[in-house]
Amino acid sequence: MSVRAGIGLNPIIRSTVWDSLHTSLFDGVAAAIKILMPPLVGGIPWYGQQEAHRIAYYDIYRRLGLATFQPQDNELLDALVALTESTGWWWAFDDVCVMSERPTVLHSEPIPDRVHGERRLHHHDEPAIQFADGSATYVLNGTIVPDWVVLDPSVERITVERNVEIRRSAIERIGWDNYIDAAGLTLVDNADDPGNDGCTLQLFATPAGWGGEGRVLLAVNGSRERDGQRRRYGLHVPGEFFSALDAAGWTYGLSGENYAQLLRRT
């Protein structure tokens, strides 16, 4: 279809091979493994599966006969393919090469609304990635979180958590309704959600431990998830809002008056 539309082969291969694998492996798996390493300045100074997007890009050109390499280049590419398929991260020096084991556990899920097979790390109850020595990282829907978010989320821990994404993930584990009741959040305003028939917008004051004055806007997704459900979610909005419609409009760059005229929200 893309070829019929006049799109060249290079943009197609770039999107389906390089970009797709980069998202899944470099942005996803490599980022989760890096959490287990001592703090480093700059990028990832070693090789491993996170380089698969680069290696696969050239290998697919070779396999499809779209490019011809010199014998020494083919030999090097074969070695890189073998390393990517058989080992974990590795460091090459002049006289020695340090190689690491691959993870023994790796759980992932498709990234919603992606069309080239991109995946993100995720497991609802266990580490999303784990090594033979027990080192592990917990990931929920692509968000790297501390183990307490998965194993023992609590209102107290959520209140003092400063990272917005970790806090959101922990609240979703508990459920927004349960969290609001347990945390005793004060309802500031509520209104019917225009363009989202049968759904309500609720505006709450944020707990003091969240830092600074703000509000939480609780809404229902306008479109359904893969399982057919419409997710309820909370958005952190500025503390200046006292109207749920104004707060919802702000998230779209609209005034509350304009947002109230929506016929269908997605």
Side-chain angles (χ1 to χ4, degrees):
M1 184 178 295
S2 298
V3 174
R4 293 194 189 100
I7 300 175
L9 281 176
N10 187 62
I12 294 173
I13 294 174
R14 184 85 183 192
S15 296
T16 57
V17 178
W18 182 296
D19 293 344
S20 175
L21 287 173
H22 189 281
T23 296
S24 301
L25 298 176
F26 196 96
D27 297 340
V29 176
I33 294 176
K34 192 175 180 181
I35 292 294
L36 303 174
M37 306 288 290
L40 296 169
V41 177
I44 299 174
W46 49 79
Y47 301 96
Q49 288 83 17
Q50 77 275 3
E51 298 293 332
H53 65 283
R54 196 186 319 274
I55 298 165
Y57 177 77
Y58 293 103
D59 190 40
I60 197 70
Y61 265 89
R62 183 176 63 170
R63 288 172 180 264
L64 295 177
L66 300 174
T68 302
F69 301 114
Q70 295 296 322
Q72 62 269 27
D73 295 324
N74 278 316
E75 184 178 350
L76 176 59
L77 185 54
D78 287 339
L80 291 172
V81 169
L83 282 166
T84 302
E85 292 177 342
S86 60
T87 187
W89 291 7
W90 54 278
W91 295 257
F93 299 93
D94 290 339
D95 300 315
V96 66
C97 182
V98 179
M99 309 180 81
S100 63
E101 296 285 348
R102 297 162 70 95
T104 54
V105 172
L106 194 151
H107 298 287
S108 66
E109 64 177 7
I111 299 178
D113 303 321
R114 296 295 186 96
V115 297
H116 298 309
E118 296 93 333
R119 300 186 69 83
R120 62 188 182 187
L121 292 178
H122 170 74
H123 198 287
H124 195 262
D125 300 310
E126 300 173 2
I129 189 166
Q130 187 168 356
F131 290 86
D133 66 354
S135 301
T137 304
Y138 290 80
V139 188
L140 293 173
N141 307 119
T143 299
I144 300 171
V145 298
D147 58 2
W148 65 263
V149 175
V150 173
L151 303 177
D152 188 24
S154 68
V155 170
E156 294 75 21
R157 283 172 165 157
I158 291 170
T159 300
V160 299
E161 175 57 56
R162 306 307 294 267
N163 184 290
V164 174
E165 286 301 301
I166 292 175
R167 194 165 59 210
R168 174 192 58 78
S169 297
I171 292 173
E172 289 180 351
R173 292 282 293 177
I174 295 175
W176 276 98
D177 288 334
N178 292 333
Y179 173 73
I180 287 168
D181 289 342
L185 299 192
T186 301
L187 180 65
V188 176
D189 184 42
N190 67 80
D192 292 335
D193 190 357
N196 206 2
D197 189 41
C199 297
T200 301
L201 297 168
Q202 294 178 294
L203 187 65
F204 293 90
T206 58
W210 282 26
E213 287 202 25
R215 300 279 190 261
V216 175
L217 178 67
L218 196 61
V220 176
N221 201 350
S223 57
R224 296 186 183 277
E225 302 288 331
R226 289 174 178 265
D227 60 5
Q229 302 297 316
R230 290 203 289 170
R231 183 171 63 91
R232 203 171 189 200
Y233 62 95
L235 297 171
H236 198 194
V237 299
E240 64 195 58
F241 293 115
F242 289 88
S243 161
L245 286 174
D246 287 343
W250 176 83
T251 66
Y252 285 89
L254 302 172
S255 67
E257 182 179 356
N258 288 333
Y259 182 86
Q261 299 176 38
L262 290 179
L263 299 178
R264 175 74 175 91
R265 183 168 71 80
T266 58

